[in-house]
């Protein structure tokens, strides 16, 4: 499953953060554990120490609610820590031996003469990318009064900022499709500025550049479109990349580099 390794690493980071919190709270917790007993309709709490016989413990008066809370928290944190430690060990074992492209690599490591006689169970990344690039589509088109701007690739774009983006992708050998139509339920057809095929997840990723965010009407339309992306399961930071500009904030090459490294490497 492409993207599984990245998901496991993300989960590993989350669990490590949880483990840190649990350990810190346990270090500050009081000694002993909480024992709960029900007498008729009333719940009673007892402070139980490890050396005491099971079923014993010191009765906790209702005025000591803070102690009850701390002991309850301690019990939860101890269980949480055991669970997290178990899951972290499982993830570490998987990550030692797992790569998203291991099935593809099994095929690619075969001798060329053998490979020519093998039918791979899945297309390789190169084959997927080639097929994706060869797909024909009809873009948005231009009006007579639109600016005439061409990228280094020889493709007409709508703005200087889109040219900066297109030229960056072209120079860095990042295949893209400009204004390839995408149907969004509840909105209609949109034309993302750039569409990519993710080498990590093998899914399409979209890049929208919003260049007039200080204009209220433009900003409202941009927000509506972004919301519709998410209503269609395409979330910002996952399969939707955003860049913005205003009169005072221009497109930054370093920002492009960061986003490319994060989503397209």
């Amino acid at each position: 499953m492409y993207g599984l390794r990245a998901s496991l690493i993300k989960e590993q980071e989350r669990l490590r953060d949880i483990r840190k919190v649990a350990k810190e709270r346990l270090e500050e917790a009081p000694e002993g554990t909480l024992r709960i007993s029900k007498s008729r309709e009333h719940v009673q709490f007892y402070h139980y120490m490890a050396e005491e016989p099971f079923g014993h413990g010191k009765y906790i008066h209702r005025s000591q609610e803070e102690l009850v809370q701390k002991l309850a928290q301690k019990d939860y944190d101890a269980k949480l820590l055991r669970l997290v430690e178990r899951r972290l060990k499982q993830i570490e074992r998987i990550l030692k031996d797992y790569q998203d492209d291991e099935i593809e690599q099994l095929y690619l490591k075969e001798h060329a003469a053998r490979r020519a006689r093998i039918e791979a169970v899945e297309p390789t990344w190169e084959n997927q990318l080639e097929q994706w690039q060869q797909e024909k589509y009809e873009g948005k088109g231009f009006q007579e009064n639109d600016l005439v701007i061409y990228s280094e690739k020889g493709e007409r774009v709508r703005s200087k900022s889109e040219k900066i983006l297109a030229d960056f992708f072209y120079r860095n050998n990042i295949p893209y499709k400009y204004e390839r139509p995408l149907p969004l339920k509840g909105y209609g057809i949109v034309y993302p500025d750039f569409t990519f095929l993710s080498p990590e997840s093998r899914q399409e990723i979209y890049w929208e550049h919003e260049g007039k965010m200080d204009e209220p009407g433009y900003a409202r339309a941009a927000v509506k479109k972004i919301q519709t992306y998410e209503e269609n399961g395409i979330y910002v930071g996952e399969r939707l990349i955003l860049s913005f500009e205003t009169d005072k904030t221009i497109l930054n090459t370093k920002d492009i580099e960061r986003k490319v490294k994060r989503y397209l490497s």
Side-chain angles (χ1 to χ4, degrees), residues 56-262:
H56 289 64
K58 183 179 179 180
Y59 173 72
I60 304 175
H61 193 270
R62 68 182 64 179
S63 62
Q64 296 177 287
E65 174 59 31
E66 184 178 353
L67 176 60
V68 174
Q69 186 275 325
K70 288 182 177 180
L71 290 171
Q73 184 69 52
K74 179 183 179 181
D75 182 55
Y76 166 78
D77 288 336
K79 293 175 183 176
L80 176 65
L81 185 58
R82 289 194 295 271
L83 173 62
V84 167
E85 293 284 14
R86 189 163 67 250
R87 291 292 177 254
L88 280 170
K89 288 179 181 178
Q90 291 171 335
I91 291 173
E92 286 166 8
R93 285 198 297 270
I94 294 171
L95 289 176
K96 283 181 181 179
D97 190 47
Y98 176 81
Q99 296 294 333
D100 288 338
D101 64 345
E102 58 188 8
I103 291 178
E104 179 177 334
Q105 289 302 316
L106 178 70
Y107 170 75
L108 293 175
K109 287 177 182 177
E110 294 285 357
H111 188 281
R114 188 186 298 272
R115 235 182 10 247
R117 292 160 174 82
I118 293 174
E119 181 181 351
V121 69
E122 294 177 331
T124 64
W125 165 244
E126 287 75 15
N127 289 339
Q128 288 182 45
L129 187 60
E130 182 181 0
Q131 292 173 10
W132 182 80
Q133 288 179 284
Q134 290 176 351
E135 178 196 49
K136 302 297 183 183
Y137 68 93
E138 185 174 343
K140 189 176 181 180
F142 293 87
Q143 301 296 322
E144 186 176 344
N145 59 343
D146 287 340
L147 295 173
V148 179
I149 302 172
Y150 284 89
S151 69
E152 292 179 11
K153 187 180 177 181
E155 197 169 40
R156 187 175 177 183
V157 294
R158 297 187 184 279
S159 67
K160 293 179 180 178
S161 296
E162 289 186 354
K163 172 177 166 54
I164 291 171
L165 286 162
D167 290 347
F168 183 94
F169 304 141
Y170 181 68
R171 290 172 194 161
N172 288 277
N173 298 313
I174 301 172
Y176 69 85
K177 295 179 180 180
Y178 180 71
E179 290 192 341
R180 175 177 174 267
L182 173 68
L184 292 181
K185 186 177 179 180
Y187 192 95
I189 301 294
V190 296
Y191 295 84
D193 295 325
F194 301 95
T195 301
F196 309 89
L197 190 62
S198 168
E200 181 178 326
S201 68
R202 310 291 169 97
Q203 290 183 300
E204 287 187 330
I205 292 179
Y206 310 98
W207 188 312
E208 290 280 16
H209 179 69
E210 308 297 351
K212 302 177 183 177
M213 292 302 286
D214 45 0
E215 296 183 11
Y218 182 98
R220 284 194 296 270
V223 169
K224 177 176 174 55
K225 183 167 63 173
I226 293 166
Q227 288 177 332
T228 308
Y229 268 109
E230 295 201 332
E231 289 169 1
N232 282 263
I234 302 170
Y235 292 94
V236 177
E238 294 180 2
R239 293 180 59 207
L240 180 59
I241 308 170
L242 299 176
S243 52
F244 302 96
E245 279 187 295
T246 66
D247 283 341
K248 296 182 179 180
T249 304
I250 61 173
L251 186 63
N252 188 310
T253 303
K254 288 185 177 180
D255 187 42
I256 299 174
E257 291 174 348
R258 281 194 299 270
K259 286 179 167 61
V260 166
K261 184 177 180 181
R262 171 67 179 83

